[in-house]
PDB file of all heavy atoms in Angstrom:
ATOM      1  N   CYS A  23      38.750  54.996  58.120  1.00  0.00           N
ATOM      2  CA  CYS A  23      38.428  55.638  59.419  1.00  0.00           C
ATOM      3  C   CYS A  23      37.005  55.933  59.439  1.00  0.00           C
ATOM      4  O   CYS A  23      36.382  56.322  58.435  1.00  0.00           O
ATOM      5  CB  CYS A  23      39.186  56.939  59.506  1.00  0.00           C
ATOM      6  SG  CYS A  23      40.996  56.723  59.780  1.00  0.00           S
ATOM      7  N   TYR A  24      36.311  55.686  60.586  1.00  0.00           N
ATOM      8  CA  TYR A  24      34.888  55.768  60.645  1.00  0.00           C
ATOM      9  C   TYR A  24      34.461  56.563  62.005  1.00  0.00           C
ATOM     10  O   TYR A  24      35.154  56.441  63.011  1.00  0.00           O
ATOM     11  CB  TYR A  24      34.268  54.413  60.639  1.00  0.00           C
ATOM     12  CG  TYR A  24      34.478  53.692  59.379  1.00  0.00           C
ATOM     13  CD1 TYR A  24      35.556  52.829  59.229  1.00  0.00           C
ATOM     14  CD2 TYR A  24      33.693  53.925  58.262  1.00  0.00           C
ATOM     15  CE1 TYR A  24      35.794  52.202  58.008  1.00  0.00           C
ATOM     16  CE2 TYR A  24      33.886  53.276  57.081  1.00  0.00           C
ATOM     17  CZ  TYR A  24      34.965  52.395  56.941  1.00  0.00           C
ATOM     18  OH  TYR A  24      35.197  51.768  55.751  1.00  0.00           O
ATOM     19  N   HIS A  25      33.333  57.232  61.851  1.00  0.00           N
ATOM     20  CA  HIS A  25      32.673  57.787  62.987  1.00  0.00           C
ATOM     21  C   HIS A  25      31.262  57.151  62.991  1.00  0.00           C
ATOM     22  O   HIS A  25      30.544  57.412  62.094  1.00  0.00           O
ATOM     23  CB  HIS A  25      32.564  59.306  62.861  1.00  0.00           C
ATOM     24  CG  HIS A  25      31.844  60.006  63.981  1.00  0.00           C
ATOM     25  ND1 HIS A  25      31.109  61.082  63.802  1.00  0.00           N
ATOM     26  CD2 HIS A  25      31.753  59.636  65.279  1.00  0.00           C
ATOM     27  CE1 HIS A  25      30.490  61.426  64.945  1.00  0.00           C
ATOM     28  NE2 HIS A  25      30.872  60.564  65.819  1.00  0.00           N
ATOM     29  N   ILE A  26      31.000  56.375  64.011  1.00  0.00           N
ATOM     30  CA  ILE A  26      29.740  55.638  64.073  1.00  0.00           C
ATOM     31  C   ILE A  26      28.983  56.174  65.334  1.00  0.00           C
ATOM     32  O   ILE A  26      29.586  56.317  66.353  1.00  0.00           O
ATOM     33  CB  ILE A  26      30.028  54.115  64.183  1.00  0.00           C
ATOM     34  CG1 ILE A  26      30.718  53.667  62.944  1.00  0.00           C
ATOM     35  CG2 ILE A  26      28.729  53.363  64.425  1.00  0.00           C
ATOM     36  CD1 ILE A  26      31.233  52.254  63.022  1.00  0.00           C
ATOM     37  N   TYR A  27      27.729  56.441  65.133  1.00  0.00           N
ATOM     38  CA  TYR A  27      26.926  56.965  66.201  1.00  0.00           C
ATOM     39  C   TYR A  27      25.505  56.458  66.074  1.00  0.00           C
ATOM     40  O   TYR A  27      25.074  56.055  65.052  1.00  0.00           O
ATOM     41  CB  TYR A  27      26.942  58.465  66.242  1.00  0.00           C
ATOM     42  CG  TYR A  27      26.437  59.114  64.997  1.00  0.00           C
ATOM     43  CD1 TYR A  27      25.136  59.495  64.852  1.00  0.00           C
ATOM     44  CD2 TYR A  27      27.297  59.324  63.942  1.00  0.00           C
ATOM     45  CE1 TYR A  27      24.635  60.080  63.658  1.00  0.00           C
ATOM     46  CE2 TYR A  27      26.852  59.933  62.774  1.00  0.00           C
ATOM     47  CZ  TYR A  27      25.539  60.283  62.678  1.00  0.00           C
ATOM     48  OH  TYR A  27      25.026  60.849  61.492  1.00  0.00           O
ATOM     49  N   SER A  28      24.808  56.489  67.218  1.00  0.00           N
ATOM     50  CA  SER A  28      23.402  56.123  67.210  1.00  0.00           C
ATOM     51  C   SER A  28      22.666  56.870  68.364  1.00  0.00           C
ATOM     52  O   SER A  28      23.327  57.139  69.392  1.00  0.00           O
ATOM     53  CB  SER A  28      23.224  54.559  67.377  1.00  0.00           C
ATOM     54  OG  SER A  28      21.875  54.229  67.262  1.00  0.00           O
ATOM     55  N   ARG A  29      21.446  57.174  68.178  1.00  0.00           N
ATOM     56  CA  ARG A  29      20.647  57.903  69.163  1.00  0.00           C
ATOM     57  C   ARG A  29      19.375  57.153  69.392  1.00  0.00           C
ATOM     58  O   ARG A  29      18.832  56.516  68.517  1.00  0.00           O
ATOM     59  CB  ARG A  29      20.387  59.355  68.607  1.00  0.00           C
ATOM     60  CG  ARG A  29      19.632  60.207  69.484  1.00  0.00           C
ATOM     61  CD  ARG A  29      19.347  61.521  68.833  1.00  0.00           C
ATOM     62  NE  ARG A  29      20.586  62.273  68.540  1.00  0.00           N
ATOM     63  CZ  ARG A  29      21.013  63.300  69.209  1.00  0.00           C
ATOM     64  NH1 ARG A  29      20.341  63.826  70.153  1.00  0.00           N
ATOM     65  NH2 ARG A  29      22.147  63.901  68.825  1.00  0.00           N
ATOM     66  N   GLY A  30      18.858  57.278  70.622  1.00  0.00           N
ATOM     67  CA  GLY A  30      17.562  56.708  70.914  1.00  0.00           C
ATOM     68  C   GLY A  30      16.442  57.373  70.107  1.00  0.00           C
ATOM     69  O   GLY A  30      16.505  58.532  69.795  1.00  0.00           O
ATOM     70  N   ASN A  31      15.428  56.619  69.854  1.00  0.00           N
ATOM     71  CA  ASN A  31      14.240  57.219  69.160  1.00  0.00           C
ATOM     72  C   ASN A  31      13.699  58.424  69.934  1.00  0.00           C
ATOM     73  O   ASN A  31      13.534  58.316  71.111  1.00  0.00           O
ATOM     74  CB  ASN A  31      13.142  56.178  69.008  1.00  0.00           C
ATOM     75  CG  ASN A  31      13.520  55.067  67.993  1.00  0.00           C
ATOM     76  OD1 ASN A  31      14.350  55.263  67.124  1.00  0.00           O
ATOM     77  ND2 ASN A  31      12.895  53.936  68.142  1.00  0.00           N
ATOM     78  N   ASN A  32      13.391  59.509  69.213  1.00  0.00           N
ATOM     79  CA  ASN A  32      12.866  60.690  69.812  1.00  0.00           C
ATOM     80  C   ASN A  32      13.765  61.193  70.970  1.00  0.00           C
ATOM     81  O   ASN A  32      13.276  61.787  71.942  1.00  0.00           O
ATOM     82  CB  ASN A  32      11.474  60.472  70.359  1.00  0.00           C
ATOM     83  CG  ASN A  32      10.488  60.196  69.290  1.00  0.00           C
ATOM     84  OD1 ASN A  32      10.527  60.830  68.189  1.00  0.00           O
ATOM     85  ND2 ASN A  32       9.606  59.268  69.468  1.00  0.00           N
ATOM     86  N   ARG A  33      15.066  60.912  70.823  1.00  0.00           N
ATOM     87  CA  ARG A  33      16.043  61.341  71.856  1.00  0.00           C
ATOM     88  C   ARG A  33      15.785  60.711  73.174  1.00  0.00           C
ATOM     89  O   ARG A  33      16.239  61.218  74.256  1.00  0.00           O
ATOM     90  CB  ARG A  33      16.148  62.829  71.915  1.00  0.00           C
ATOM     91  CG  ARG A  33      16.586  63.439  70.587  1.00  0.00           C
ATOM     92  CD  ARG A  33      16.866  64.929  70.712  1.00  0.00           C
ATOM     93  NE  ARG A  33      17.304  65.458  69.429  1.00  0.00           N
ATOM     94  CZ  ARG A  33      17.726  66.654  69.249  1.00  0.00           C
ATOM     95  NH1 ARG A  33      17.756  67.491  70.248  1.00  0.00           N
ATOM     96  NH2 ARG A  33      18.102  66.990  68.040  1.00  0.00           N
ATOM     97  N   MET A  34      15.124  59.591  73.176  1.00  0.00           N
ATOM     98  CA  MET A  34      14.885  58.859  74.457  1.00  0.00           C
ATOM     99  C   MET A  34      16.158  58.155  74.920  1.00  0.00           C
ATOM    100  O   MET A  34      17.039  57.872  74.115  1.00  0.00           O
ATOM    101  CB  MET A  34      13.803  57.802  74.181  1.00  0.00           C
ATOM    102  CG  MET A  34      12.418  58.371  73.901  1.00  0.00           C
ATOM    103  SD  MET A  34      11.719  59.296  75.308  1.00  0.00           S
ATOM    104  CE  MET A  34      11.444  58.011  76.435  1.00  0.00           C
ATOM    105  N   PRO A  35      16.316  57.941  76.247  1.00  0.00           N
ATOM    106  CA  PRO A  35      17.518  57.312  76.688  1.00  0.00           C
ATOM    107  C   PRO A  35      17.713  55.870  76.123  1.00  0.00           C
ATOM    108  O   PRO A  35      16.781  55.137  75.852  1.00  0.00           O
ATOM    109  CB  PRO A  35      17.277  57.178  78.199  1.00  0.00           C
ATOM    110  CG  PRO A  35      16.196  58.207  78.497  1.00  0.00           C
ATOM    111  CD  PRO A  35      15.376  58.321  77.270  1.00  0.00           C
ATOM    112  N   ILE A  36      19.015  55.557  75.920  1.00  0.00           N
ATOM    113  CA  ILE A  36      19.371  54.191  75.576  1.00  0.00           C
ATOM    114  C   ILE A  36      20.203  53.527  76.715  1.00  0.00           C
ATOM    115  O   ILE A  36      20.326  52.314  76.771  1.00  0.00           O
ATOM    116  CB  ILE A  36      20.155  54.122  74.260  1.00  0.00           C
ATOM    117  CG1 ILE A  36      21.430  54.950  74.279  1.00  0.00           C
ATOM    118  CG2 ILE A  36      19.288  54.550  73.096  1.00  0.00           C
ATOM    119  CD1 ILE A  36      22.343  54.773  73.087  1.00  0.00           C
ATOM    120  N   PHE A  37      20.747  54.362  77.588  1.00  0.00           N
ATOM    121  CA  PHE A  37      21.369  53.893  78.770  1.00  0.00           C
ATOM    122  C   PHE A  37      20.585  54.411  79.985  1.00  0.00           C
ATOM    123  O   PHE A  37      20.376  55.625  80.177  1.00  0.00           O
ATOM    124  CB  PHE A  37      22.842  54.425  78.869  1.00  0.00           C
ATOM    125  CG  PHE A  37      23.662  54.069  77.682  1.00  0.00           C
ATOM    126  CD1 PHE A  37      24.047  54.995  76.743  1.00  0.00           C
ATOM    127  CD2 PHE A  37      24.149  52.743  77.540  1.00  0.00           C
ATOM    128  CE1 PHE A  37      24.802  54.670  75.736  1.00  0.00           C
ATOM    129  CE2 PHE A  37      24.964  52.410  76.421  1.00  0.00           C
ATOM    130  CZ  PHE A  37      25.273  53.368  75.517  1.00  0.00           C
ATOM    131  N   PHE A  38      20.082  53.472  80.810  1.00  0.00           N
ATOM    132  CA  PHE A  38      19.246  53.826  81.962  1.00  0.00           C
ATOM    133  C   PHE A  38      19.937  53.775  83.284  1.00  0.00           C
ATOM    134  O   PHE A  38      19.619  54.527  84.162  1.00  0.00           O
ATOM    135  CB  PHE A  38      17.995  52.912  81.991  1.00  0.00           C
ATOM    136  CG  PHE A  38      17.159  53.113  80.692  1.00  0.00           C
ATOM    137  CD1 PHE A  38      17.305  52.260  79.654  1.00  0.00           C
ATOM    138  CD2 PHE A  38      16.154  54.119  80.636  1.00  0.00           C
ATOM    139  CE1 PHE A  38      16.504  52.381  78.484  1.00  0.00           C
ATOM    140  CE2 PHE A  38      15.391  54.261  79.540  1.00  0.00           C
ATOM    141  CZ  PHE A  38      15.535  53.372  78.442  1.00  0.00           C
ATOM    142  N   GLU A  39      20.892  52.890  83.363  1.00  0.00           N
ATOM    143  CA  GLU A  39      21.619  52.720  84.631  1.00  0.00           C
ATOM    144  C   GLU A  39      23.154  52.599  84.307  1.00  0.00           C
ATOM    145  O   GLU A  39      23.489  52.310  83.148  1.00  0.00           O
ATOM    146  CB  GLU A  39      21.168  51.409  85.271  1.00  0.00           C
ATOM    147  CG  GLU A  39      19.752  51.365  85.662  1.00  0.00           C
ATOM    148  CD  GLU A  39      19.311  50.036  86.297  1.00  0.00           C
ATOM    149  OE1 GLU A  39      20.233  49.223  86.598  1.00  0.00           O
ATOM    150  OE2 GLU A  39      18.141  49.776  86.366  1.00  0.00           O
ATOM    151  N   GLU A  40      23.980  52.766  85.340  1.00  0.00           N
ATOM    152  CA  GLU A  40      25.389  52.642  85.151  1.00  0.00           C
ATOM    153  C   GLU A  40      25.809  51.347  84.564  1.00  0.00           C
ATOM    154  O   GLU A  40      26.664  51.260  83.640  1.00  0.00           O
ATOM    155  CB  GLU A  40      26.138  52.793  86.499  1.00  0.00           C
ATOM    156  CG  GLU A  40      27.631  52.834  86.421  1.00  0.00           C
ATOM    157  CD  GLU A  40      28.182  54.091  85.804  1.00  0.00           C
ATOM    158  OE1 GLU A  40      27.481  55.193  85.924  1.00  0.00           O
ATOM    159  OE2 GLU A  40      29.267  54.029  85.243  1.00  0.00           O
ATOM    160  N   ARG A  41      25.118  50.232  84.896  1.00  0.00           N
ATOM    161  CA  ARG A  41      25.462  48.931  84.366  1.00  0.00           C
ATOM    162  C   ARG A  41      25.202  48.806  82.844  1.00  0.00           C
ATOM    163  O   ARG A  41      25.774  48.007  82.230  1.00  0.00           O
ATOM    164  CB  ARG A  41      24.741  47.814  85.161  1.00  0.00           C
ATOM    165  CG  ARG A  41      23.249  47.880  85.022  1.00  0.00           C
ATOM    166  CD  ARG A  41      22.592  46.806  85.908  1.00  0.00           C
ATOM    167  NE  ARG A  41      21.184  46.807  85.744  1.00  0.00           N
ATOM    168  CZ  ARG A  41      20.394  45.831  85.966  1.00  0.00           C
ATOM    169  NH1 ARG A  41      20.897  44.696  86.387  1.00  0.00           N
ATOM    170  NH2 ARG A  41      19.117  45.964  85.784  1.00  0.00           N
ATOM    171  N   ASN A  42      24.308  49.657  82.306  1.00  0.00           N
ATOM    172  CA  ASN A  42      24.056  49.640  80.890  1.00  0.00           C
ATOM    173  C   ASN A  42      25.310  50.062  80.091  1.00  0.00           C
ATOM    174  O   ASN A  42      25.579  49.528  79.010  1.00  0.00           O
ATOM    175  CB  ASN A  42      22.874  50.494  80.497  1.00  0.00           C
ATOM    176  CG  ASN A  42      21.598  50.095  81.125  1.00  0.00           C
ATOM    177  OD1 ASN A  42      20.811  50.992  81.545  1.00  0.00           O
ATOM    178  ND2 ASN A  42      21.305  48.788  81.221  1.00  0.00           N
ATOM    179  N   TYR A  43      26.000  51.107  80.647  1.00  0.00           N
ATOM    180  CA  TYR A  43      27.230  51.529  80.011  1.00  0.00           C
ATOM    181  C   TYR A  43      28.252  50.448  80.013  1.00  0.00           C
ATOM    182  O   TYR A  43      28.985  50.191  79.055  1.00  0.00           O
ATOM    183  CB  TYR A  43      27.821  52.771  80.744  1.00  0.00           C
ATOM    184  CG  TYR A  43      26.890  54.004  80.679  1.00  0.00           C
ATOM    185  CD1 TYR A  43      26.015  54.291  81.723  1.00  0.00           C
ATOM    186  CD2 TYR A  43      26.990  54.846  79.572  1.00  0.00           C
ATOM    187  CE1 TYR A  43      25.233  55.414  81.674  1.00  0.00           C
ATOM    188  CE2 TYR A  43      26.114  55.995  79.507  1.00  0.00           C
ATOM    189  CZ  TYR A  43      25.310  56.256  80.563  1.00  0.00           C
ATOM    190  OH  TYR A  43      24.483  57.384  80.535  1.00  0.00           O
ATOM    191  N   VAL A  44      28.413  49.811  81.213  1.00  0.00           N
ATOM    192  CA  VAL A  44      29.337  48.707  81.321  1.00  0.00           C
ATOM    193  C   VAL A  44      29.116  47.580  80.389  1.00  0.00           C
ATOM    194  O   VAL A  44      29.979  47.020  79.714  1.00  0.00           O
ATOM    195  CB  VAL A  44      29.426  48.241  82.755  1.00  0.00           C
ATOM    196  CG1 VAL A  44      30.312  47.018  82.973  1.00  0.00           C
ATOM    197  CG2 VAL A  44      29.899  49.379  83.731  1.00  0.00           C
ATOM    198  N   TYR A  45      27.794  47.200  80.290  1.00  0.00           N
ATOM    199  CA  TYR A  45      27.380  46.129  79.362  1.00  0.00           C
ATOM    200  C   TYR A  45      27.699  46.517  77.909  1.00  0.00           C
ATOM    201  O   TYR A  45      28.186  45.651  77.164  1.00  0.00           O
ATOM    202  CB  TYR A  45      25.901  45.873  79.568  1.00  0.00           C
ATOM    203  CG  TYR A  45      25.396  44.725  78.723  1.00  0.00           C
ATOM    204  CD1 TYR A  45      25.778  43.424  78.959  1.00  0.00           C
ATOM    205  CD2 TYR A  45      24.499  44.942  77.664  1.00  0.00           C
ATOM    206  CE1 TYR A  45      25.379  42.356  78.188  1.00  0.00           C
ATOM    207  CE2 TYR A  45      24.041  43.943  76.900  1.00  0.00           C
ATOM    208  CZ  TYR A  45      24.408  42.611  77.116  1.00  0.00           C
ATOM    209  OH  TYR A  45      23.988  41.580  76.402  1.00  0.00           O
ATOM    210  N   PHE A  46      27.400  47.732  77.487  1.00  0.00           N
ATOM    211  CA  PHE A  46      27.700  48.194  76.167  1.00  0.00           C
ATOM    212  C   PHE A  46      29.197  48.035  75.878  1.00  0.00           C
ATOM    213  O   PHE A  46      29.576  47.577  74.805  1.00  0.00           O
ATOM    214  CB  PHE A  46      27.274  49.630  75.971  1.00  0.00           C
ATOM    215  CG  PHE A  46      27.534  50.132  74.616  1.00  0.00           C
ATOM    216  CD1 PHE A  46      26.619  50.065  73.633  1.00  0.00           C
ATOM    217  CD2 PHE A  46      28.740  50.870  74.333  1.00  0.00           C
ATOM    218  CE1 PHE A  46      26.888  50.554  72.335  1.00  0.00           C
ATOM    219  CE2 PHE A  46      28.996  51.325  73.069  1.00  0.00           C
ATOM    220  CZ  PHE A  46      28.061  51.202  72.062  1.00  0.00           C
ATOM    221  N   LEU A  47      30.033  48.454  76.836  1.00  0.00           N
ATOM    222  CA  LEU A  47      31.465  48.431  76.623  1.00  0.00           C
ATOM    223  C   LEU A  47      32.011  47.000  76.585  1.00  0.00           C
ATOM    224  O   LEU A  47      32.904  46.670  75.814  1.00  0.00           O
ATOM    225  CB  LEU A  47      32.187  49.221  77.690  1.00  0.00           C
ATOM    226  CG  LEU A  47      31.997  50.742  77.602  1.00  0.00           C
ATOM    227  CD1 LEU A  47      32.648  51.413  78.809  1.00  0.00           C
ATOM    228  CD2 LEU A  47      32.570  51.279  76.305  1.00  0.00           C
ATOM    229  N   LYS A  48      31.366  46.087  77.305  1.00  0.00           N
ATOM    230  CA  LYS A  48      31.745  44.666  77.245  1.00  0.00           C
ATOM    231  C   LYS A  48      31.434  44.099  75.891  1.00  0.00           C
ATOM    232  O   LYS A  48      32.238  43.376  75.284  1.00  0.00           O
ATOM    233  CB  LYS A  48      31.052  43.875  78.342  1.00  0.00           C
ATOM    234  CG  LYS A  48      31.625  44.053  79.680  1.00  0.00           C
ATOM    235  CD  LYS A  48      30.954  43.154  80.721  1.00  0.00           C
ATOM    236  CE  LYS A  48      31.533  43.362  82.118  1.00  0.00           C
ATOM    237  NZ  LYS A  48      30.838  42.577  83.116  1.00  0.00           N
ATOM    238  N   LEU A  49      30.208  44.432  75.379  1.00  0.00           N
ATOM    239  CA  LEU A  49      29.831  43.900  74.035  1.00  0.00           C
ATOM    240  C   LEU A  49      30.791  44.558  73.003  1.00  0.00           C
ATOM    241  O   LEU A  49      31.164  43.872  72.057  1.00  0.00           O
ATOM    242  CB  LEU A  49      28.397  44.328  73.769  1.00  0.00           C
ATOM    243  CG  LEU A  49      27.295  43.534  74.507  1.00  0.00           C
ATOM    244  CD1 LEU A  49      25.932  44.099  74.163  1.00  0.00           C
ATOM    245  CD2 LEU A  49      27.347  42.099  74.152  1.00  0.00           C
ATOM    246  N   TYR A  50      31.056  45.815  73.083  1.00  0.00           N
ATOM    247  CA  TYR A  50      31.988  46.439  72.141  1.00  0.00           C
ATOM    248  C   TYR A  50      33.348  45.779  72.184  1.00  0.00           C
ATOM    249  O   TYR A  50      33.880  45.436  71.094  1.00  0.00           O
ATOM    250  CB  TYR A  50      32.086  47.903  72.510  1.00  0.00           C
ATOM    251  CG  TYR A  50      32.973  48.755  71.579  1.00  0.00           C
ATOM    252  CD1 TYR A  50      32.457  49.177  70.375  1.00  0.00           C
ATOM    253  CD2 TYR A  50      34.309  48.935  71.801  1.00  0.00           C
ATOM    254  CE1 TYR A  50      33.165  49.865  69.428  1.00  0.00           C
ATOM    255  CE2 TYR A  50      35.042  49.673  70.897  1.00  0.00           C
ATOM    256  CZ  TYR A  50      34.473  50.156  69.765  1.00  0.00           C
ATOM    257  OH  TYR A  50      35.202  50.775  68.810  1.00  0.00           O
ATOM    258  N   ALA A  51      33.862  45.516  73.333  1.00  0.00           N
ATOM    259  CA  ALA A  51      35.200  44.824  73.466  1.00  0.00           C
ATOM    260  C   ALA A  51      35.126  43.450  72.817  1.00  0.00           C
ATOM    261  O   ALA A  51      36.073  43.022  72.134  1.00  0.00           O
ATOM    262  CB  ALA A  51      35.590  44.704  74.939  1.00  0.00           C
ATOM    263  N   HIS A  52      34.034  42.722  72.986  1.00  0.00           N
ATOM    264  CA  HIS A  52      33.943  41.374  72.441  1.00  0.00           C
ATOM    265  C   HIS A  52      33.788  41.365  70.914  1.00  0.00           C
ATOM    266  O   HIS A  52      34.370  40.547  70.259  1.00  0.00           O
ATOM    267  CB  HIS A  52      32.708  40.633  73.089  1.00  0.00           C
ATOM    268  CG  HIS A  52      32.502  39.308  72.587  1.00  0.00           C
ATOM    269  ND1 HIS A  52      33.293  38.204  72.994  1.00  0.00           N
ATOM    270  CD2 HIS A  52      31.574  38.796  71.777  1.00  0.00           C
ATOM    271  CE1 HIS A  52      32.902  37.169  72.383  1.00  0.00           C
ATOM    272  NE2 HIS A  52      31.840  37.441  71.607  1.00  0.00           N
ATOM    273  N   HIS A  53      32.946  42.266  70.357  1.00  0.00           N
ATOM    274  CA  HIS A  53      32.619  42.193  68.969  1.00  0.00           C
ATOM    275  C   HIS A  53      33.441  43.149  68.071  1.00  0.00           C
ATOM    276  O   HIS A  53      33.546  42.865  66.844  1.00  0.00           O
ATOM    277  CB  HIS A  53      31.145  42.560  68.761  1.00  0.00           C
ATOM    278  CG  HIS A  53      30.197  41.519  69.345  1.00  0.00           C
ATOM    279  ND1 HIS A  53      30.027  40.272  68.740  1.00  0.00           N
ATOM    280  CD2 HIS A  53      29.457  41.533  70.452  1.00  0.00           C
ATOM    281  CE1 HIS A  53      29.171  39.559  69.495  1.00  0.00           C
ATOM    282  NE2 HIS A  53      28.846  40.325  70.526  1.00  0.00           N
ATOM    283  N   VAL A  54      33.958  44.234  68.558  1.00  0.00           N
ATOM    284  CA  VAL A  54      34.562  45.211  67.713  1.00  0.00           C
ATOM    285  C   VAL A  54      36.039  45.406  67.953  1.00  0.00           C
ATOM    286  O   VAL A  54      36.845  45.609  67.017  1.00  0.00           O
ATOM    287  CB  VAL A  54      33.828  46.629  67.877  1.00  0.00           C
ATOM    288  CG1 VAL A  54      34.477  47.636  67.015  1.00  0.00           C
ATOM    289  CG2 VAL A  54      32.341  46.484  67.614  1.00  0.00           C
TER     290      VAL A  54
END
């Protein structure tokens, strides 16, 4: 069991628009 997390450098955003969340979830579904 794992808890994996990541944060932007200096707490800067890593998701800028709604489509960034969707793209991340698509990549997650494909690879993980």
